[in-house]
Amino acid sequence: MNRDAVARALGSRYATPYLRNYVRWKVAMDPVYEGVAERLREHHLPLVDVGCGVGLMVFYLRESGFDGPIVGIDFDEGKIAAANEMASRYEHTEFRTGDARAPLPEGHSVLILDVLQYFETAGQQVTLRNAARVVPEGGVVIIRSGVRDKSWRYRLSWLSDTFGRAIRWMQAERLVIPTREEIEGAFAEGFEKEVVPLWGRTPFNNYLFIFRRAARRSE
């Protein structure tokens, strides 16, 4: 199925009209879904989605053919409940409540999508270091985040995230959008790096960071 078809299919499965409309719009408009799926098409390691929300990325990956075990973690119990309502459709897929800054399961690739800005800088660094620590050889950490710079896109990103906190869609402590250097610093050793703008049809200052754990060279 193409992205629009997946958006319609996933949207129809959520319980409330709000979530059904949100899911259809989000998947159809946001380039992060195809951006992540493209980089995981030949990937079979277990995956943990930190800050998974209602499980939308997890289900998109399943519909796109990703067959490795997936664990979704989110602080919001209501979102986890919504994700678990759909999880029975897919094998090896589970969701649990938890803090994004808590230690992650060993031997997993990691997704951190639109999460970092809701923690102070120290909390962001804990989250990033935890991800770097658990990724095995051949594994990957994929991060989507707004980036703090001097652009108009950054200012719009800040306003959008502030609104998300105000209406309580994001149960966030604060809003601190990281710099590119702050994100990359946790993966300075042992990782191959790819960083691409991920604006799509949106005005936001989002970037996709892909850090692949390089295989160790044999002596």
Side-chain angles (χ1 to χ4, degrees):
M1 289 190 290
N2 61 32
R3 188 166 69 174
D4 288 341
V6 173
R8 291 192 298 271
L10 291 178
S12 68
R13 297 171 188 166
Y14 281 87
T16 67
Y18 174 79
L19 279 178
R20 289 195 292 270
N21 289 328
Y22 170 77
V23 167
R24 292 188 190 106
W25 169 82
K26 183 72 171 172
V27 174
M29 293 294 294
D30 194 332
V32 72
Y33 295 97
E34 191 55 31
V36 171
E38 178 181 344
R39 289 164 175 83
L40 293 177
R41 288 202 201 285
E42 304 301 323
H43 195 81
H44 303 285
L45 291 173
L47 180 69
V48 57
D49 184 357
V50 179
C52 63
V54 296
L56 193 45
M57 177 58 77
V58 171
F59 301 135
Y60 187 91
L61 290 173
R62 288 298 189 221
E63 295 293 330
S64 300
F66 182 84
D67 59 2
I70 308 180
V71 177
I73 300 171
D74 200 280
F75 177 76
D76 190 321
E77 293 182 356
K79 291 181 180 178
I80 289 296
N84 275 321
E85 287 181 4
M86 288 179 55
S88 61
R89 294 173 174 268
Y90 305 95
E91 294 183 350
H92 310 301
T93 303
E94 62 174 299
F95 296 92
R96 62 181 74 151
T97 55
D99 193 305
R101 296 160 292 190
L104 298 173
E106 296 286 339
H108 282 62
S109 289
V110 183
L111 299 181
I112 306 173
L113 308 176
D114 305 320
V115 172
L116 295 175
Q117 66 266 34
Y118 297 114
F119 297 113
E120 78 291 344
T121 299
Q124 294 173 8
Q125 290 302 307
V126 168
T127 302
L128 294 170
R129 289 195 297 270
N130 285 345
R133 188 177 301 118
V134 302
V135 175
E137 290 184 19
V140 61
V141 179
I142 301 179
I143 300 164
R144 202 269 286 272
S145 178
V147 167
R148 187 171 78 249
D149 57 25
K150 297 180 179 180
S151 69
W152 64 267
R153 287 181 178 275
Y154 161 69
R155 292 192 290 272
L156 279 178
S157 298
W158 186 88
L159 288 172
S160 175
D161 289 335
T162 299
F163 178 74
R165 289 183 67 223
I167 65 173
R168 303 298 294 169
W169 176 245
M170 298 302 301
Q171 296 186 18
E173 298 174 359
R174 53 186 51 82
L175 179 61
V176 182
I177 296 178
T179 65
R180 176 169 169 167
E181 292 75 18
E182 288 170 341
I183 294 172
E184 294 179 2
F187 305 93
E189 297 183 7
F191 288 88
E192 300 168 351
K193 177 182 69 177
E194 177 189 1
V195 182
V196 295
L198 204 68
W199 302 333
R201 292 176 283 178
T202 77
F204 306 125
N205 201 37
N206 290 324
Y207 285 76
L208 197 67
F209 297 80
I210 303 96
F211 301 102
R212 299 186 184 278
R213 172 78 75 182
R216 296 178 184 176
R217 295 180 180 179
S218 57
E219 299 295 334

